[in-house]
Amino acid sequence: MVVKIRNGFNEELALHGYKLILLVFLVVGQWCSAQNKPNIVFILADDAGYADFGFQGSKDFKTPYLDEFAKESVRCTQAYVSAAVCGPSRAGFLTGKYQQRFGFEENNVPGYMSTSGVTGDDMGLPLDQRTIANELKQRGYTTAIFGKWHMGNADRFHPTNRGFDDFYGFRGGARSFMPYDETNKIDKNENRLEQGFGNYLEHKGYLTDVLADRTNQFIAQNKDRPFFIYLSFNAVHTPMQATNEDLDQFPNLTGKRKQLAAMTLAMDRACGKVYDQLKKLDLLDNTIIVFTNDNGGPSDANASLNKPLSGTKANHLEGGIRVPFLISWKGVLQGNTTYGNPISLLDMYPTFSIIAGVEAANLKGLDGVDILPFLKKNKSGRPHETLYWKKENRAAIRELDWKLIRYPDRPAELYDVSKDNAEKYDLALQYPNRVRAMYKKLFQWELGLERPKWQLQRKFEGKAAERMDAYSAPKIRMNKD
């Protein structure tokens, strides 16, 4: 029997067939494209000292895994954060913008005094700000954060509401490295360990190790699709807690310095676990790995060293804002090399986005830049000619190699950080016209910022000044010739 099909029906059937074939090709093409996208692993230490790693010259501390990783990486010798304290620095990284643009000035959340009507746990990374996790998730990445969040305690600020598919960590800014129990009472609700959204369950063992183990589980589960991992250690932030096994590795150290060395060793081991997992699963050739720190070490709180830099966490001397930085991408970046021009953690958003396939022209309103062309030496010049920092009355501007610091309790200071990274020789009297011009440029930048949405008590400003003076090189004020 022959079935005659009318031309109209035949044409309609053919059209549906073409659409089906096109859909199949589209899906397959997207799948293939997703497979070719490199994985991104961003590892952030917390309150580490600039000098407290072997690859940074430490002789006291043991960081064997990171030292080996440094041999495969580009080490950026002038890497900066956008804030000298934890929360705002992370807000800058997550958004690719100076966090002052949306009122998240250099004050952690929850703040003390609100200027926008929000209080307590309702203070957080504003919901109108897009994160790098939002960007990468839209590009087909599975996204996860392990560890410290510190972007707001309320549910609407939760990582799973800000672009992250998976979360294992805590919402606050610092917590015990040991499990909370009857002998180790929890101090704040935001420091409870959380898996996903609202599932609170304390860990077993030492938290730094646990975060690496959970990261490795995620890698194994997602090895066949592109992933973005934000491994956000609370190490080596206080409280100063380490295992006896790690403490025993430093018989020649005492006190906080011994505790810090042991905590750093545990973090180094955790980084090694993640690296080994990527290697075991044959993912290294298609994975970008970054290791860095969120701000300078608070030398008084955890005995960290920022030498040869002056200053510490919470101030705008180099020791508060310049951080160790390693980046590796096998086959793309040349290992065991250094890059000497200033970069910023603000640059991670556009760099990761472009790697994921976003057109540069579609990245609007960012302060960071794509640093890969500079690291590959395909592009000359500097990623940034000017960088800014601000906390209320205090602020700083770096223009090329000149750096101006503005204080509330003393005259502004001027340094040539290419020759004086200890910021010992104040050149303000020698170059009054430069001071005036940079002061005005800094003020013009400030005119485009939002008012801080929350602030800390003023007494903390005084403590920041005391810490700065205690850990700064003796100043030599250079007069005119």
Side-chain angles (χ1 to χ4, degrees):
M1 181 177 65
V2 178
V3 179
K4 293 184 178 180
I5 302 176
R6 290 174 298 159
N7 286 340
F9 179 76
N10 197 29
E11 291 172 0
E12 184 179 351
L13 186 63
L15 182 59
H16 282 297
Y18 291 143
K19 287 182 178 179
L20 181 61
I21 292 171
L22 183 61
L23 179 62
V24 169
F25 275 116
L26 182 62
V27 170
V28 171
Q30 289 178 336
W31 182 85
C32 292
S33 175
Q35 297 309 299
N36 292 328
K37 290 181 179 179
N39 307 307
I40 301 171
V41 178
F42 180 79
I43 305 174
L44 191 65
D46 191 355
D47 279 10
Y50 186 77
D52 286 336
F53 300 91
F55 66 87
Q56 290 287 96
S58 177
K59 303 300 182 184
D60 297 330
F61 283 26
K62 299 176 182 179
T63 53
Y65 288 104
L66 286 170
D67 295 348
E68 284 301 310
F69 177 64
K71 295 175 183 177
E72 301 177 3
S73 305
V74 179
R75 182 168 68 91
C76 295
T77 59
Q78 295 197 72
Y80 288 97
V81 290
S82 59
V85 292
C86 308
S89 170
R90 293 161 189 259
F93 152 67
L94 285 166
T95 62
K97 302 176 184 177
Y98 286 111
Q99 62 281 352
Q100 296 94 339
R101 292 195 185 281
F102 44 86
F104 201 139
E105 202 157 296
E106 286 195 32
N107 296 303
N108 287 321
V109 296
Y112 160 70
M113 179 180 69
S114 170
T115 58
S116 57
V118 296
T119 58
D121 287 352
D122 290 328
M123 299 176 180
L125 182 65
L127 299 180
D128 61 354
Q129 296 304 310
R130 184 175 176 83
T131 72
I132 182 59
N134 291 131
E135 192 74 60
L136 295 178
K137 184 174 180 177
Q138 186 175 332
R139 296 291 163 173
Y141 279 71
T142 303
T143 58
I145 171 174
F146 300 95
K148 171 175 172 174
W149 177 233
H150 212 194
M151 291 292 102
N153 299 330
D155 288 350
R156 63 183 176 278
F157 301 123
H158 194 271
T160 57
N161 291 324
R162 306 311 299 271
F164 289 98
D165 296 306
D166 198 0
F167 173 53
Y168 182 86
F170 58 100
R171 303 188 192 189
R175 62 151 283 156
S176 173
F177 292 83
M178 310 302 181
Y180 289 121
D181 55 25
E182 289 302 314
T183 61
N184 184 27
K185 298 287 188 180
I186 191 168
D187 53 347
K188 299 176 182 177
N189 281 337
E190 62 262 30
N191 292 336
R192 295 175 292 177
L193 199 63
E194 186 175 6
Q195 180 175 338
F197 182 88
N199 182 21
Y200 299 102
L201 182 65
E202 275 302 303
H203 63 100
K204 296 179 181 180
Y206 190 68
L207 183 56
T208 302
D209 290 317
V210 173
L211 293 178
D213 293 339
R214 296 301 298 236
T215 300
N216 283 351
Q217 289 179 26
F218 176 86
I219 292 172
Q221 292 165 356
N222 295 278
K223 59 185 176 63
D224 296 324
R225 52 189 171 185
F227 55 77
F228 166 58
I229 291 171
Y230 175 21
L231 178 48
S232 178
F233 286 118
N234 55 317
V236 292
H237 196 292
T238 54
M240 305 299 290
Q241 296 172 335
T243 66
N244 289 331
E245 292 80 4
D246 289 335
L247 288 167
D248 289 343
Q249 299 299 311
F250 301 94
N252 297 325
L253 298 178
T254 59
K256 287 183 179 179
R257 192 75 183 147
K258 184 184 184 83
Q259 293 274 355
L260 183 66
M263 294 169 72
T264 304
L265 178 63
M267 181 174 64
D268 178 78
R269 180 175 61 244
C271 292
K273 285 183 179 181
V274 174
Y275 183 91
D276 287 345
Q277 176 76 324
L278 293 168
K279 184 177 182 179
K280 174 184 173 182
L281 297 176
D282 198 25
L283 296 173
L284 278 180
D285 288 345
N286 195 39
T287 301
I288 300 153
I289 308 172
V290 172
F291 174 83
T292 186
N293 188 37
D294 64 349
N295 47 248
S299 302
D300 54 343
N302 69 0
S304 51
L305 292 181
N306 297 312
K307 293 182 178 180
L309 311 177
S310 274
T312 68
K313 175 181 179 177
N315 62 66
H316 296 141
L317 293 168
E318 292 291 283
I321 55 177
R322 194 191 291 198
V323 293
F325 187 98
L326 302 173
I327 180 169
S328 171
W329 189 4
K330 289 195 172 184
V332 177
L333 297 176
Q334 184 177 349
N336 204 24
T337 59
T338 60
Y339 181 75
N341 284 325
I343 67 164
S344 170
L345 262 61
L346 298 173
D347 301 332
M348 298 301 97
Y349 191 120
T351 300
F352 294 164
S353 297
I354 291 173
I355 287 169
V358 181
E359 294 291 334
N362 294 330
L363 294 171
K364 306 291 186 182
L366 300 183
D367 294 302
V369 301
D370 176 16
I371 60 171
L372 272 183
F374 296 94
L375 300 183
K376 292 191 292 185
K377 297 182 172 55
N378 293 337
K379 191 171 184 178
S380 60
R382 298 174 179 235
H384 300 274
E385 291 196 352
T386 309
L387 290 168
Y388 301 93
W389 298 268
K390 181 182 185 301
K391 177 177 170 38
E392 299 181 23
N393 294 335
R394 291 189 284 128
I397 173 175
R398 173 166 174 167
E399 188 173 32
L400 299 177
D401 290 327
W402 293 96
K403 182 179 172 188
L404 175 86
I405 307 178
R406 188 184 72 199
Y407 300 101
D409 64 339
R410 66 199 73 182
E413 296 171 355
L414 180 70
Y415 299 98
D416 180 351
V417 291
S418 68
K419 303 173 182 176
D420 178 24
N421 60 13
E423 293 165 295
K424 183 176 181 179
Y425 299 97
D426 178 12
L427 305 176
L429 292 179
Q430 274 193 330
Y431 300 97
N433 290 337
R434 182 173 292 279
V435 169
R436 187 176 298 110
M438 292 179 71
Y439 208 106
K440 290 185 69 174
K441 188 170 184 176
L442 175 60
F443 179 67
Q444 287 299 315
W445 174 74
E446 289 177 299
L447 292 178
L449 307 178
E450 276 197 32
R451 291 286 186 184
K453 292 184 179 296
W454 50 82
Q455 296 176 319
L456 299 181
Q457 296 180 28
R458 294 298 295 173
K459 66 181 182 181
F460 291 109
E461 284 293 276
K463 290 182 179 179
E466 291 172 5
R467 175 187 277 172
M468 179 186 67
D469 289 339
Y471 293 94
S472 299
K475 303 296 180 184
I476 297 177
R477 203 165 179 87
M478 305 299 289
N479 295 315
K480 289 184 179 180
D481 293 334

